[in-house]
């Protein structure tokens, strides 16, 4: 606030001056006029405004894409968990993630049945097995689920009554039509009727499809009945299951049942509710792959770049107009007023840059979803969150640029 | 009633052994309604005195009473409030390039919370008419000539009916004919409105507009040299 740089203040007047008559303190004219001044200044130079806005648009776009992909990855990681139709789940104590689970004795499920709240139990088996592309003959590993078709445990897209019915026949499987294309043109092959393929060097008949898609842990997926699973995943012990799904009686208290199961079962299994199971899987991926860090870095880069561009524009606007700012100070404009002008400019840039950034991001989300099968969803909380980031970015730029206002010394206007 | 009363005013720049005292124990009175010129060689301290009167610098020693406000020991708020009651005219016009002539003049009124936008613009336009720029109200400074810009600056310095108008070398950037015309205009408008004007200049051609001329040499007021 020391813009007048009072040099070494010597002793006051020898004759103590009479107290100054009470002047009305300078009243602030609110936010409207500083805002208007900022807008007039910005719009006067459209090319500079466009340059500043492009920085904000870039930051907005980058942040939306980073957050979009990060969430898509996390969502895909727990797609399976989120479509399991049961209330509680058992996994071996040492299991870290579904695709690399340690199996546990099927007897635990039988023990769980002893609990009165439990209606039924469903064992789920998983195995990573190679599928031979029927067109190219190349092998590629997919994730095979083995489950009782009548249990309807899996709620993946397209798993209807007919599909479950179809794999009750031995050596038949359902194939993931949303998997990577490297597994072959499953859908067009199936259009001509069921066809035979090779899964783990065993002949199987593909009798239907479902839609899950590539996830962190698998590039494609298939579903078989328990009997077919054991034949394909040779060497797997049928008495060892990977996930035990427990369906409770209607109205049962899930948390109480979970505690009862934990007390009832030996320590070699963990008990999860469904949200806990998804969180467990999410945590695994967050730990093994520094996803949050990598995408966080992308967001930070976007913010820093945006911040620098906005700061540059605001700073050079002040520097180039230092004389005008000093003139305004001489006319009785306060530092606070001029600071509000700069902050208004920052906020105008935030809003005007965010909007096209949002529209462009929506377009890129559409393209990502349609063209590369990574579902990116714009949600209102996400848009609000990104706007908040951009807003803070512009405010920070403004606050740094404001320091330059101190260089506008009205006493320097007279030289 | 005096617009400016200065008693025993001294000022120095810097501190310690490098301190430079540029004003020595000045006494000066400017009665309301007068047009006073301050002349003197470059470096004699004219601008320093003007910035002290204009509340742009803190008063160090002595008393400086402007429009009834004592500036010795005055805080920033008091000085800002006083500056709003002064009209400044600079050597360079210092108009805001992104505002039209009318908007520039209206800037002097935007600090008055009792005025609405329509009133501000109407008064700005009337003032521009008074300085002969009725046809330039919507022009940006970039398309105006130097003399026209300085007239806009005069309109800006007068529009909020300040008790005192301070100008530092207002003709320095103008050719002598335009400079003289501009100062005659300033003098006429000030006289019509009963405003006090204090102009720092070493342009002898504009001495004729003054009610009184004071001269400065090495930080002291002296008898003006006859011209
Ligand atoms: N901000 C400043 N800091 C230090 N010295 C200054 C400053 N402004 C002016 N001076 C010095 O004070 C003296 C008086 O300057 P000034 O008041 O500008 O005189 P004038 O306007 O008559 O030319 C000069 O020697 C000048 O170098
Ligand atoms: Mg000077």
């Amino acid at each position: 606030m020391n813009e007048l740089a009072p040099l070494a203040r010597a002793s006051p007047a020898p004759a103590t001056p009479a107290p100054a008559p009470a002047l009305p303190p300078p009243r602030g004219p609110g936010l409207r006029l500083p805002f208007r001044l900022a807008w007039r200044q910005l719009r006067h130079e459209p090319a500079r405004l466009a340059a500043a806005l492009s920085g904000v648009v870039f930051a907005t776009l980058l942040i939306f894409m980073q957050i979009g992909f990060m969430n898509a990855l996390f969502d895909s990681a727990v797609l399976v968990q989120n479509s399991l139709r049961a209330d509680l789940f058992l996994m071996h104590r040492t299991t870290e993630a579904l695709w690399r689970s340690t199996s546990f004795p099927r007897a635990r499920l039988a023990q769980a049945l002893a609990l009165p709240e439990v209606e039924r139990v469903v064992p789920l088996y998983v195995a990573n097995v190679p599928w031979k592309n029927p067109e190219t003959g190349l092998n590629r590993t997919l994730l095979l689920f083995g489950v009782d078709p009548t249990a309807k445990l899996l709620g993946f897209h397209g798993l209807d009554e007919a599909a479950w019915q179809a794999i009750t026949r031995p050596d038949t499987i359902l194939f993931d039509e949303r998997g990577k294309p490297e597994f072959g043109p499953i859908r067009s092959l199936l259009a001509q009727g069921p066809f035979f393929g090779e899964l783990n060097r065993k002949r199987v008949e593909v009798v239907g499809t479902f839609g899950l898609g590539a996830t962190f842990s698998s590039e494609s997926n298939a579903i078989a009945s328990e009997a077919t699973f054991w034949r394909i995943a040779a060497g797997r012990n049928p008495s060892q299951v990977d996930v035990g799904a427990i369906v409770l009686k209607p109205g049962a208290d899930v948390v109480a049942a979970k505690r009862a199961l934990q007390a009832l079962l030996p320590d070699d299994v963990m008990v999860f509710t469904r949200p806990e199971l998804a969180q467990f899987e999410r945590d695994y991926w967050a730990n093994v792959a520094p996803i949050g860090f990598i995408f966080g870095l992308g967001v930070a880069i976007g913010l820093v770049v945006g911040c620098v561009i906005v700061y540059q524009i605001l700073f050079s606007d002040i520097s180039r107009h230092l004389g005008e700012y000093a003139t305004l100070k001489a006319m009785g404009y306060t530092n606070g007023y001029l600071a509000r002008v700069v902050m208004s400019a920052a906020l105008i840039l935030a809003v005007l840059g965010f909007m096209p950034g949002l529209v462009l991001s929506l377009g890129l989300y559409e393209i990502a979803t349609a063209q590369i099968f990574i579902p990116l969803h714009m949600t209102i909380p996400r848009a609000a969150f990104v706007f908040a980031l951009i807003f803070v970015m512009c405010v920070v730029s403004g606050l740094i640029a404001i320091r330059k206002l101190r260089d506008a010394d009205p006493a320097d206007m007279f030289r | 009633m005096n617009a400016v009363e200065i008693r025993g005013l001294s000022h120095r720049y810097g501190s310690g052994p490098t301190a430079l005292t540029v004003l020595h124990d000045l006494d000066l009175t400017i009665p309301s309604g007068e047009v006073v010129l301050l002349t003197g060689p470059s470096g004699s301290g004219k601008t320093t005195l003007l910035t002290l009167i204009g509340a742009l610098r803190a008063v160090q020693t002595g008393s400086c009473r402007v429009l009834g406000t004592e500036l010795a020991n005055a805080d920033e708020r008091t000085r800002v409030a006083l500056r709003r009651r002064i009209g400044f005219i600079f050597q360079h016009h210092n108009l805001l390039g992104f505002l039209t002539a009318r908007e520039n003049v209206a800037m002097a009124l935007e600090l008055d919370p009792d005025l609405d936008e329509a009133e501000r613009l109407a008064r700005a336009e009337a003032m521009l008419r008074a300085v002969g720029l009725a046809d330039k109200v919507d022009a940006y400074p970039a398309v105006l000539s130097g003399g026209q810009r300085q007239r806009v600056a005069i309109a800006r310095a007068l529009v909020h009916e300040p008790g005192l108008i301070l100008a530092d070398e207002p003709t320095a950037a103008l050719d002598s004919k335009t400079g003289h015309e501009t100062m005659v205009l300033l003098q006429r408008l000030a006289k019509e409105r009963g405003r006090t004007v204090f102009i720092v200049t070493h342009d002898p051609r504009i001495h004729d507009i003054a009610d009184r001329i004071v001269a400065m040499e090495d930080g002291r007021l002296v008898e003006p040299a006859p011209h």
Side-chain angles (χ1 to χ4, degrees), chain A residues 65 358-378:
Chain A
M65 295 323 284
L358 175 65
V359 171
L360 284 175
S361 301
L362 279 170
L364 285 184
Y365 273 27
E366 293 270 314
I367 291 172
T369 308
Q371 304 293 319
I372 54 175
F373 305 110
I374 297 177
L376 302 183
H377 305 294
M378 185 64 74

Side-chain angles (χ1 to χ4, degrees), chain B residues 7 17 38 43 67 81 88 91 101 106 134 154 166 176 192 198 210 218:
Chain B
R7 296 285 169 267
L38 176 64
L67 301 176
F88 289 95
Q91 177 173 341
I154 289 172
L166 298 176
S176 63
E192 282 169 13
F198 185 61
D218 289 336

Side-chain angles (χ1 to χ4, degrees), chain A residues 31-287:
Chain A
L31 290 171
R32 201 176 61 79
L33 291 178
F35 184 88
R36 188 178 70 175
L37 195 63
W39 170 236
R40 284 174 170 173
Q41 184 171 1
L42 285 174
R43 72 156 185 213
H44 188 68
E45 289 175 285
R48 289 176 61 80
L49 177 59
L53 289 183
S54 67
V56 180
V57 170
F58 170 78
T60 306
L61 213 54
L62 192 57
I63 294 169
F64 267 126
M65 295 323 284
Q66 297 288 333
I67 292 181
F69 281 124
M70 180 172 77
N71 279 288
L73 279 178
F74 276 124
D75 288 348
S76 82
V78 294
L79 219 51
V80 173
Q81 285 74 8
N82 279 337
S83 48
L84 293 177
R85 290 181 181 146
D87 303 300
L88 291 172
F89 301 90
L90 305 183
M91 284 205 297
H92 192 269
R93 176 67 56 192
T94 62
T95 291
E96 287 185 297
L98 181 64
W99 69 280
R100 48 176 300 190
S101 56
T102 312
S103 50
F104 63 89
R106 192 170 180 152
R108 298 285 169 268
L109 284 174
Q111 284 170 286
L113 272 174
L115 205 69
E117 293 101 309
V118 173
E119 185 164 278
R120 60 196 174 91
V121 295
V122 186
L124 176 67
Y125 305 85
V126 293
N128 298 288
V129 287
W131 162 260
K132 189 170 171 182
N133 182 326
E135 278 210 327
T136 64
L138 294 175
N139 277 311
R140 221 174 165 90
T141 302
L142 54 67
L143 193 66
L144 176 65
F145 295 89
V147 67
D148 174 6
T150 64
K152 313 231 168 24
L153 175 66
L154 306 177
F156 306 153
H157 177 85
L159 280 181
D160 54 12
E161 189 62 45
W164 286 120
Q165 184 59 41
I167 54 166
T168 52
R169 266 196 304 127
D171 298 338
T172 56
I173 61 166
L174 300 172
F175 211 97
D176 187 351
E177 61 177 13
R178 293 186 189 165
K180 290 257 178 80
E182 285 83 351
F183 288 84
I186 305 302
R187 212 198 306 214
S188 60
L189 285 172
L190 209 56
Q192 291 137 42
F195 66 95
F196 287 93
E198 250 181 56
L199 195 52
N200 207 14
R201 305 222 193 127
K202 313 280 183 341
R203 201 170 122 97
V204 292
E205 188 180 3
V206 179
V207 293
T209 59
F210 61 96
L212 179 59
T215 68
F216 262 135
S217 45
S218 64
E219 295 183 321
S220 192
N221 306 278
I223 304 173
S225 67
E226 289 174 304
T228 307
F229 179 88
W230 291 324
R231 197 179 70 82
I232 295 167
R236 278 294 300 266
N237 182 346
S239 67
Q240 295 282 318
V241 306
D242 294 298
V243 179
I246 296 167
V247 180
L248 297 178
K249 291 196 174 119
D253 180 343
V254 177
V255 178
K258 178 193 159 183
R259 261 190 243 113
L261 274 177
Q262 278 171 326
L264 183 72
L265 298 175
D267 264 357
D268 61 345
V269 290
M270 301 180 283
V271 188
F272 297 99
T273 63
R274 202 169 63 173
E276 286 167 355
L277 187 73
Q279 192 58 47
F280 184 78
E281 190 83 5
R282 205 177 258 267
D283 289 347
Y284 169 80
W285 289 109
N287 271 323

Side-chain angles (χ1 to χ4, degrees), chain A residues 4 11 21 36 332-333 413, chain B residues 56 79 84 94 107 110 117:
Chain A
L4 294 176
S11 54
R36 188 178 70 175
Y333 282 82
M413 294 319 300
Chain B
L56 300 171
R79 285 187 286 158
R84 295 183 182 184
N94 283 329
M107 284 303 289
E110 286 200 356
E117 179 71 3

Side-chain angles (χ1 to χ4, degrees), chain B residues 81-95:
Chain B
L82 176 62
R83 295 211 290 264
R84 295 183 182 184
R85 299 162 59 210
I86 296 175
F88 289 95
I89 300 171
F90 307 89
Q91 177 173 341
H92 300 284
H93 55 84
N94 283 329
L95 300 176

